[in-house]
Amino acid sequence: MKKNLLLLFLLTCIYYAAHAQTKIVSGQVTDAKTKESLIGVTVSVPGTKTGTVTDNQGRFSLSIPDAVKSLTFGYVGYQLQTITLTGKPIEVALLPEQNNLNDVVVVGYGTQKKKDLTGAIATVSGSELSGRQTLQVSEALQGAVPGVSVTRNNSAPGAGATVQIRGVTTLNTNSPLVVVDGIPVSSMDLVNPNDIESLSVLKDAASAAIYGSRGAAGVILITTKRGATGVSTVDYNFEYAQQRPNALPEYVDGLKYMKYINELNANDGTAMPYSNDIINNYEKRLVETPDVFPYANTNWQDLIMTNKYAPRKQHDLVFTSGTEKLKTKVSLGYQDVGAFYDNYNYERYQFRVNNDLKISDKFNVIADLSYRRVNALAPVNAPFSGQNPIYESRVIPPVYAAYYSNGAYGIAKDGRNPLAQLQEGGTTANKYNQLQGRIALNFKPIRDLTLTALISPTFNFDKEKSFSKKIVYTSPDGATTGTNRANSLLNESRNESYQLNSQFLANYSKSFNNKHNFAALAGAESIYYNAESLGAGREGFELTDYPYLNVGSILLRTNSGSANEESLHSFFGRVTYDYMSKYYFQANLRHDQSSRFAPEFRKVTYPSFSTGWAISEENFMKPVKWVNYLKLRASYGEVGNQRITDADGNQDYYPYQANVNLDGTALLYQNGVLVAKTTAAQRAFAITNIRWETTTTADIGIDATFFNNRLNLTGGYFNKKTKDILLRLDIPLNLGYDKPTQNAGVLNVKGWELGLNWKDKINEFTYSAGFNIADAKSKILNMGGTVQESGSTVVNMEGSEFNEWYGYLSTGIYQTDAQAASAARTNNNTIKAGDVGYQDLDGNGIINANDRVLLGGSLPRYQYGGNINLGYKGFDFGVVFQGVGKRLTRLGNDIIRPFQEQFGNFPVQLDGKFWSKNNSPEQNAAAEYPKLSNTNSGNNYASSDFWLVNAAYFRVKNATLGYTLSNKEYLKKIGLQSVRFYVSANDFITSSKFPKYADPETGNATYPIVSTFLGGVSVKF
């Protein structure tokens, strides 16, 4: 009995003693800038494994030994903070991390700390991309990364941008390889910007060589967001935007049009189409007889573009949940973009679920699934020109009526009525579906080794339907006068493709004596791609509201089909070493085998080497307190290109094979009857020993931080050379074959880049600013004796830049016939006063092709971008700008050339600014444009420096003002963590030397570049 009492007493003492030695601490963690609660912050006892994470309200509660005097708070992207315990509830405000050298950067098939990089790699956070308020990732990159060129030529619904890394690399495909979560994809615009965690750009061969034959044009790595342990949230974001055209050309009215086309015919010595009676009584007859040609005075552009503002809507719903065993993030995005005219719309659904499953301490599984659906509606292009409604509205002159007084469509120009075509001519309805899965198994048999097996299938199911409707035109009295096309036509296609990517990776890392740090990667990858397409069409539809093939005529039908496949098998490895984080070395090697080349030429190996010296870690730099980090790096490597295009610019999967084409037709007599038969023939002369294009790059760079890590600097210089570029070289015409593809071209690109970023905080006011600028210049060293001309305006030839302007050197506009007669001319009989003159460089007295010279590069130079961000309490404000310092371009014909197609519209830009016999000598001396003439248009509008203008510009890409409500009792009562309201504007300020009705980025008669004004709300539950 005494023993039992003694035991009970001892246990009671132990119990109270134990509890007397522990205590409960609690509190909340917020962002020092926004005051928003931080979820998933690690709260730990220094030097121990004791800890917890903050909940959905940023709160925590932790039982710790009574002797503990402080706690440490850590969160990705924030400065580590240690708080001394006072016995009161803890309120912690974490500051954003200023020194990001320890941030983890995604590189090829792995990650590295930013300070350990020896290649030219730039990163952009997902918040920065989504904060630019664009629907396409490619557009969000514009001005964000030095050395990355992003160009647009329109802002049509669903349109993306062209992305190039460090200039051009080849005369073929220059778009970078895009890899999302380790899987190559066809476009970065497949990803919802709001799903992106980070984006890395591999710019030099040292970083891109791990991708071998696909890395010549650079690599873009996108990592999507994932769940976190202890975090369960629901986020919803809604945006509504209105878009307006940045610039639109204008055209003269019907009366001026008739006067000017009369003047054109007088200059050309032909009969004037409009009499004095028509012109003098124009205003009167415009009211009395609007149905009679030419008294319409139609503003086609206003009739087509009926919406002054185009709507844009976006919804994003995100679910996040995380435990130690399972972390899940599910996102659903929806975007709907309208247009300035009817029957034009872009609708996109995006779904993604990312799962991380922990089986044991040594084994975990990643299981991801994504689905994308796009519904794209567009009007059928005009059957006469094959052009879009924008072009048609800018070429059809005002003398043609869109409607008659009875409401019927006017026949306009021989049945070419842009309004009728837009509203009644039919639509193209395309539906694109992509389903992608990814399963990765990670096994860690020993402490420093991780083995990964990954498999990812991608399925594309696309459906395209184009229904071109026949429009019957009548006269005002109801009589049939013509049609836009002979028959209604329905074309349908089904395209399916399948890609399977499989990888096996082994990653090993080891540190010896905290001085020697070693890491190695070995891997194998296999990519298989298969695609099939099926097409069918019929004409003769009596029911124009039922677009299905079975209704069309069985006698007017077509069908088609095709298939292709390719595969790539690779082995690769990487070794990295550093000594005391001072001296760095990295080597990459990749061996590729591609089915696009003959068996004996399909193998190739690409190496790269890079080094780095962290000077700031040397003892002699320690006294220099204002330098926090300074590293010099250098690299050299080789990468390749297997993306070969055919004569039409499409992917050529079998360039080394002599293919037989079965799409020819011959007329044969059979039993006295002429019968059309399909024929087969070899078109291209195949060269079996073609091989890879190879790009070698040498790079030097600097990475540094100054003034207590507030100023970050990165810069570099590169020199890359591509050899064995695949070109279509000439062969004797009597062989009867198309030009074969051969290795011949050599291209060299040199350039530099610089980036600066400053970040600081003054009490509760935070601010940051960044600026980057880059330049690259190309030179073609070898073209195999050939010259590539594009539209007789730009050329690729030995000694030229890539796509350099090519043409004549102008002497200005001839002011007198005598001046024209005494000069060398393109046509001695017709070139007179008012026409453009050119220099006779070869001195033969005739202006011909031999007098053309290189006029300057067409690619943008000195591309720059920057941002300014301010924050105070719950308010945030940011501005992003971007621009081009130098670029030569030619204004579109829809702006500077009158009477396109010899009858078309007359731009207001030319009104009063062209040479005319009706002008005074002083007015003609100041004329900016030549006289009106169709006969001499070939001379006056030939490619020359006369038409080249400076396309440099500065643009405010985005400005956003937001306010966040968080940690409010009234929000908690209704189950909300925070609410953010914001307004934003994109592309709303542009400064350039362009005319006010022309945008420096827009193409010729394309959908305009737009300004976007939006408001949004983000709610976190």
Side-chain angles (χ1 to χ4, degrees), residues 333-349:
Y334 171 77
Q335 301 93 34
D336 184 21
V337 186
F340 299 119
Y341 50 85
D342 295 338
N343 293 321
Y344 202 7
N345 184 259
Y346 177 83
E347 189 179 42
R348 181 172 70 180
Y349 300 84

Side-chain angles (χ1 to χ4, degrees), residues 107-111 182 210-211 214 221 503 505 507 521 525 572 574 590:
V107 297
Y109 304 98
T111 60
I210 196 72
Y211 288 99
R214 297 170 296 156
L221 306 178
Q503 300 173 16
L505 309 175
N507 277 284
L521 162 72
E525 182 175 27
F572 50 87
R574 176 173 56 228
R590 183 170 181 122

Side-chain angles (χ1 to χ4, degrees), residues 667-677:
L667 297 177
L668 303 174
Y669 272 105
Q670 289 186 350
N671 300 322
V673 178
L674 197 62
V675 179
K677 291 291 186 180

